[in-house]
Amino acid sequence: MIRSGIVRENRYFDSMFLMQVRQRMEREPGIRQAAAVMGTATNKELLTRLGFAGSWLASAGPNDLVVAVEGEDAAVVHAVLDRVEEFFTQKQRERETRPRALADGLVALPEANLAVISVPGRFAAREARAALERGLNVFLFSSNVSVEDEVALKELARARGLLVMGPDCGTAIIRGIGVGFANAVRRGPIGVVGSSGTGLQEVTSLVHQSGLGVSHAIGTGSRDLSEAVGGLTTWSALEALAADPDTEVVVVVAKPPAARMLAALRARLQEFPKPVVACLLGTAAPDRSSGGVQWAATLDAAAARAVRMAGGQPVVPERPDLAAWGKTAAGERARMDGGQKYIRGVFAGGTFCYEAQHVLAQAGLVVRSNAPLDRRRVLDDPMRSVGHALLDLGDEHFTEGRAHPMIDPALRQERVLLEARDPEVAVVLLDFILGYNAAPDPVGDLLPVIREAKRAAVERGGYVSVVASVCGTDGDPQGLRSQVAALEEVGVVVLPSNAQAAAYGVVVIGGAR
């Protein structure tokens, strides 16, 4: 194989656009893999690990475009590199048919009441303010927005009776319409508020699988319950759901809020006029009998309680049946060699990584991560796992200048193989997230590396247990059942929720070590 690349100085493109260009280059005959990324330090390190090297790569800066290609021979590689401008120009022409500014969008859809904003962070606040001033609610997908701008936008929204979902908001469902990374769920009596996109997806998908539906799922942005932001969107969302006649039960999903905000949230929930389930991952639950609030430690437990409160029967029980897993887990463990003892997780969903850490920690395991529950457990080098380690590949360290792993599988493919090849690894945990705007076939993207990981383990005289959960519904474009079936066909143990997948991993290694 021949590898080569080029650098174009001061050429910025967003990560989604670059992923589409990469995919088009990889469809060219004779091309094994390609990359189109911004020249950040992380991206250059990843390219180096893939075998690309040279002065052209070393010279790239964070504002430069880097295109790298690996192919069967030099002629094939150079033919594609010579056509780089063609690949980029074609994708840009496709974009020109879309609205280029807020005003253009309102001309095309004058009755709109929601603006979806996904631009580089330095421009996001300006665009969001313009939308609010035109009377539009805002779904702000962009990250890297300052706290000061976030507070100003949310105060303006509250003053005008509007919502700002974000910044860094990945998911919402408004009156049955999914925004961002959302799943196909029926409408129903359960409303959800959350700072976590994948948390919203897990809860709403499990509600749907249980036969009920969702009135609204309102994302708040990851910092909303910080002391600096003060829960402005959370309060607005709760007020909206309290007033909504179609919402009977409310679920609140968040990572641990700041101490003052936790107290404020508890006080508001105690006074909330409808039944509430609160899942604050990693936070000790208060007395469950107080007021109308039920507290859940995991996302699947939160969904189960909400379904019961709304008169339904949950598809996933609140507590896993560990005894039922015993035979399968023992069979997997018996095929491993004596040195295999660690669990490694390679997650696309940040909240799934966080929740899995909580499950493993509750089982007595010391877990490290690039996004740890406890800052004392942070990985020294996110590119190298040690011990029990769970990775959030959606973290900014990995996504700077490239698409999120829910869309672009390239980084996760490499990391799954890296972890599985470690002779001390017994279990690899994976999450697969279906829905609108996610990868067309997230399971299919990883099947080749799962097969390779299992083959390599057998060749060295061991066995690696690959354990997964699939977040989604059969209404999603990818299809829940077909994705699960494809995993099971290659020997992956699939559990109905992320928390249960993590718990099963603990059973496989025999508990705390």
Side-chain angles (χ1 to χ4, degrees):
M1 290 291 177
I2 300 297
R3 302 181 184 93
S4 188
I6 57 174
V7 174
R8 294 287 186 262
E9 294 183 357
N10 296 315
R11 295 279 300 277
Y12 174 82
F13 297 95
D14 67 67
S15 57
M16 283 289 293
F17 180 79
L18 292 175
M19 182 196 71
Q20 292 166 349
V21 171
R22 173 186 65 78
Q23 290 172 337
R24 186 158 182 262
M25 290 191 295
E26 287 183 336
R27 288 195 291 268
E28 292 294 305
I31 297 302
R32 182 178 180 273
Q33 65 176 335
V37 296
M38 301 307 297
T40 65
T42 298
N43 284 337
K44 290 198 294 183
E45 181 179 354
L46 290 169
L47 288 173
T48 300
R49 291 167 65 90
L50 291 172
F52 293 95
S55 58
W56 61 273
L57 180 58
S59 68
N63 295 320
D64 299 335
L65 169 67
V66 178
V67 178
V69 178
E70 178 182 347
E72 293 175 351
D73 54 49
V76 167
V77 168
H78 291 133
V80 169
L81 291 175
D82 288 344
R83 295 171 55 206
V84 161
E85 294 302 328
E86 174 189 331
F87 291 119
F88 277 81
T89 301
Q90 178 173 343
K91 294 306 299 181
Q92 285 176 312
R93 286 199 196 105
E94 293 172 7
R95 282 187 158 194
E96 288 172 1
T97 61
R98 306 174 188 174
R100 302 286 294 175
L102 178 63
D104 297 334
L106 287 172
V107 169
L109 195 64
E111 69 275 19
N113 64 1
L114 173 67
V116 178
I117 297 174
S118 178
V119 298
R122 61 185 181 275
F123 306 122
R126 180 189 68 193
E127 297 300 324
R129 177 173 289 277
L132 292 169
E133 290 173 346
R134 289 174 177 259
L136 300 173
N137 297 284
V138 170
F139 179 92
L140 188 52
F141 187 83
S142 304
S143 56
N144 297 314
V145 176
S146 72
V147 172
E148 294 77 15
D149 281 337
E150 179 175 351
V151 171
L153 290 170
K154 290 182 173 181
E155 287 178 341
L156 175 60
R158 276 186 70 79
R160 298 194 174 203
L162 300 169
L163 280 174
V164 171
M165 294 173 274
D168 192 29
C169 186
T171 301
I173 302 173
I174 307 299
R175 298 190 184 279
I177 304 299
V179 186
F181 297 111
N183 300 92
V185 301
R186 69 177 65 82
R187 294 200 66 187
I190 298 175
V192 190
V193 179
S195 60
S196 155
T198 47
L200 289 181
Q201 288 188 263
E202 180 88 326
V203 171
T204 56
S205 292
L206 292 174
V207 166
H208 176 91
Q209 291 174 34
S210 298
L212 296 185
V214 174
S215 57
H216 307 279
I218 302 172
T220 65
S222 57
R223 293 185 306 214
D224 193 68
L225 286 172
S226 66
E227 290 196 10
V229 180
L232 291 169
T233 295
T234 301
W235 308 153
S236 293
L238 287 171
E239 291 162 8
L241 293 177
D244 177 36
D246 295 329
T247 301
E248 299 173 11
V249 176
V250 171
V251 181
V252 177
V253 176
K255 294 177 183 177
R260 183 177 67 84
M261 293 308 303
L262 177 58
L265 177 62
R266 286 175 174 169
R268 288 196 179 233
L269 295 183
Q270 293 293 340
E271 298 173 358
F272 196 73
K274 298 178 180 180
V276 178
V277 180
C279 178
L280 308 181
L281 294 169
T283 302
D287 183 0
R288 292 179 182 174
S289 65
S290 57
V293 184
Q294 292 282 318
W295 298 86
T298 57
L299 298 167
D300 54 0
R305 290 187 183 177
V307 167
R308 284 201 181 93
M309 293 165 80
Q313 183 63 37
V315 68
V316 179
E318 288 187 33
R319 292 181 178 83
D321 186 354
L322 302 182
W325 298 341
K327 184 176 180 180
T328 302
E332 291 204 292
R333 188 164 58 249
R335 299 168 68 182
M336 299 176 185
D337 66 40
Q340 292 183 259
K341 55 188 175 181
Y342 292 130
I343 297 175
R344 298 281 168 79
V346 186
F347 290 90
T351 298
F352 288 153
C353 179
Y354 204 86
E355 181 182 46
Q357 288 179 65
H358 173 71
V359 172
L360 268 59
Q362 290 296 107
L365 302 182
V366 175
V367 187
R368 293 175 176 81
S369 175
N370 62 313
L373 289 174
D374 182 340
R375 295 306 303 174
R376 294 173 298 179
R377 303 299 184 196
V378 67
L379 282 168
D380 292 333
D381 179 2
M383 305 304 294
R384 180 177 177 273
S385 299
V386 292
H388 300 294
L390 306 184
L391 294 164
D392 172 14
L393 292 194
D395 182 72
E396 288 182 0
H397 176 86
F398 294 109
T399 58
E400 184 182 7
R402 65 186 306 139
H404 193 280
M406 284 174 60
I407 304 168
D408 184 355
L411 180 59
R412 204 150 81 125
Q413 290 166 336
E414 178 196 354
R415 194 58 183 253
V416 168
L417 276 179
L418 180 68
E419 302 298 349
R421 285 171 175 162
D422 184 335
E424 292 188 308
V425 169
V427 176
V428 174
L429 292 177
L430 299 173
D431 61 336
F432 293 92
I433 304 169
L434 314 185
Y436 304 116
N437 297 313
D441 184 11
V443 167
D445 289 336
L446 285 191
L447 285 181
V449 298
I450 292 172
R451 291 191 189 97
E452 171 61 20
K454 284 184 166 290
R455 184 195 62 78
V458 170
E459 284 187 352
R460 66 171 182 260
Y463 172 86
V464 64
S465 171
V466 180
V467 184
S469 67
V470 182
C471 173
T473 73
D474 274 326
D476 288 330
Q478 303 88 348
L480 176 62
R481 293 181 190 177
S482 61
Q483 294 279 297
V484 170
L487 287 168
E488 292 177 337
E489 189 175 331
V490 298
V492 176
V493 177
V494 183
L495 278 298
S497 71
N498 178 68
Q500 291 208 8
Y504 176 83
V506 175
V507 174
V508 170
I509 66 166
R513 292 192 181 187

